Amino acid sequence: MELIDGKGLAETIKNEIAEEVTQIKTVGGKIPHLAAVLIGDDPASQAYVRNKVRSCEKVGFKSTLVRRPATITETELVRIIEDLNDDDDIDGFIVQLPLPKHINEENITLAIDPRKDVDGFHPANFGRMALGLPAYLPATPFGIIQMLERYDIETSGKHCVVVGRSNIVGTPIAIMLSRKGKVGNCTVTVTHSRTKDLKAETLRADIIIAAIGRAKFITADMVKDGAVVIDVGINRVDDVKARRGYRLKGDVDFKKVAPKCSYITPVPGGVGPMTVTALLMNTLKASKKSIYG
Ligand code: GUN
C-alpha cells in the first residue's frame, strides 16, 4: 500500500507556481489576483476560505476577501459579483458555497463571468469540460486528476466507481475520468443514494472515488484487493480529546481499507490540500488568459 501524499504534492505544485510568479514579477508582468466571497459565518466555510487566501499569499498571488453577513440579499450579492466581473485587476474569483437558503446558488453561479470562474462551476465551463475544450476544471476533480497523474497511476481501461453525484465532485470527476486523456479512458460507474447494490458496484472497482460526505461510509468489505481509493470526504466528527472538539474524517474507513489498497489518500492531507492547489493553478491560468485568450 502506498499513501498518496496530497499535502506534500500540493507543496511541490505550490512551489512550482511560486517560481512562476517570481518570473512574472521579474519581467514586470501582472501578478495573479484571486478574490473570494464569503457569506455568513459557517465555521467550515470560513476555514476553507482562510486556507485559500493563505495559499495565495504563499505563492505570491494577490488576494481579496469579500465578507458579508448571511442577511445579504441575492440582489446585493449579484452586484458584488458584477463588480468583480468588471474589476480588471481581479483575474478570478470564487463564491464559497453553501450560501444562505434565501439565495439561489444557480443564479449566483450564472452571474459569474465564465472567464473569471476559477471554480469551474459556471455551465459554460462545465460544458466545455464535458466536451474536452479548454476550461477551468472544478478544483476538487482537478486536484484528483493531478494526484493520479503525478503518482503515475494507470487509469486507461480501468473501472472507476464514483460514489456520489454532486455537481462539484461526483459528476465532473466521472466525466473527466471517462474522457480521452493522459489521465482518463476509464470505464466509469456513478453510484448514488438510489443505487441498488452499492457493494457489488464498488467491489468491481479498480479505482474508487468516495465523495458521499459520510464518515467511514466505505468499509473494507466494499473494496477489492489492490484498488486505488481516493477519499474526498471532509467530515467533522465530534471528539472531546481533539483540540478543536472535532476530528476530520474521510468517507473511507481508512484503518481497515488501507491494507487492501495499492494506493489510498489520507484525510486530512490527501484531496483537501490538492483542491486549494488546483484553485491556484486555475487562477494562474486566468491571469495568463490561457483558457479564453
Ligand atoms: N464549497 C465546498 N467546496 C467548494 C469549492 O470548491 N468552491 C466553492 N466556491 N465552494 C465550495
Side-chain angles (χ1 to χ4, degrees):
M1 184 274 290
E2 187 174 345
L3 206 59
I4 301 180
D5 177 12
K7 190 162 177 248
L9 181 53
E11 285 305 314
T12 304
I13 296 174
K14 275 193 230 172
N15 287 336
E16 291 168 8
I17 295 172
E19 258 175 50
E20 197 166 337
V21 175
T22 305
Q23 295 281 329
I24 291 168
K25 285 181 182 167
T26 310
V27 298
K30 188 190 172 305
I31 298 166
H33 186 175
L34 174 75
V37 181
L38 174 60
I39 305 300
D41 41 30
D42 172 63
S45 290
Q46 286 184 59
Y48 296 146
V49 169
R50 214 181 302 126
N51 209 350
K52 290 170 185 178
V53 170
R54 207 183 295 134
S55 297
C56 281
E57 285 162 9
K58 256 183 136 175
V59 299
F61 286 4
K62 277 169 77 176
S63 64
T64 297
L65 174 60
V66 182
R67 275 199 82 160
R68 292 292 184 275
T71 50
I72 191 171
T73 66
E74 191 172 304
T75 311
E76 285 168 331
L77 181 51
V78 168
R79 199 156 303 138
I80 289 171
I81 291 169
E82 285 168 352
D83 287 344
L84 292 169
N85 285 341
D86 292 340
D87 186 332
D88 285 341
D89 196 61
I90 288 171
D91 299 297
F93 64 95
I94 62 147
V95 179
Q96 188 66 27
L97 304 178
L99 289 168
K101 288 204 170 45
H102 66 276
I103 297 176
N104 182 319
E105 281 182 5
E106 202 176 290
N107 291 344
I108 298 307
T109 305
L110 286 169
I112 299 172
D113 183 336
R115 290 169 298 185
K116 293 195 176 188
D117 169 39
V118 284
D119 255 333
F121 291 172
H122 191 285
N125 279 310
F126 199 96
R128 290 171 70 105
M129 175 275 293
L131 294 169
L133 296 169
Y136 296 116
L137 303 175
T140 301
F142 189 20
I144 294 169
I145 297 287
Q146 288 295 316
M147 289 200 286
L148 295 171
E149 181 172 346
R150 301 231 182 182
Y151 272 79
D152 237 348
I153 294 170
E154 182 62 81
T155 56
S156 187
K158 301 293 181 188
H159 188 177
C160 176
V161 174
V162 180
V163 188
R165 57 178 162 183
S166 71
N167 289 347
I168 66 177
V169 185
T171 300
I173 193 68
I175 295 168
M176 286 156 80
L177 285 173
S178 67
R179 292 201 57 85
K180 281 184 187 165
K182 201 147 118 198
V183 177
N185 296 311
C186 284
T187 303
V188 178
T189 301
V190 182
T191 64
H192 44 74
S193 53
R194 301 290 175 93
T195 296
K196 286 261 163 60
D197 186 353
L198 179 64
K199 184 175 161 183
E201 302 296 342
T202 56
L203 275 174
R204 272 199 287 272
D206 301 308
I207 302 169
I208 296 176
I209 312 283
I212 201 90
R214 282 164 64 178
K216 293 190 178 183
F217 186 79
I218 303 292
T219 48
D221 59 321
M222 298 167 77
V223 179
K224 171 171 95 172
D225 278 332
V228 175
V229 174
I230 307 292
D231 189 349
V232 182
I234 316 178
N235 306 292
R236 290 185 172 204
V237 176
D238 290 342
D239 184 344
V240 287
K241 282 185 276 172
R243 188 163 51 90
R244 294 192 173 91
Y246 66 87
R247 272 182 211 287
L248 292 182
K249 293 277 177 201
D251 290 353
V252 176
D253 184 358
F254 183 87
K255 255 193 201 146
K256 301 217 173 84
V257 170
K260 299 184 84 173
C261 298
S262 55
Y263 293 91
I264 187 168
T265 64
V267 177
V271 173
M274 288 303 295
T275 295
V276 180
T277 303
L279 177 66
L280 299 177
M281 292 170 80
N282 278 344
T283 305
L284 185 60
K285 283 184 182 161
S287 80
K288 295 197 288 191
K289 307 218 178 312
S290 58
I291 305 281
Y292 284 95

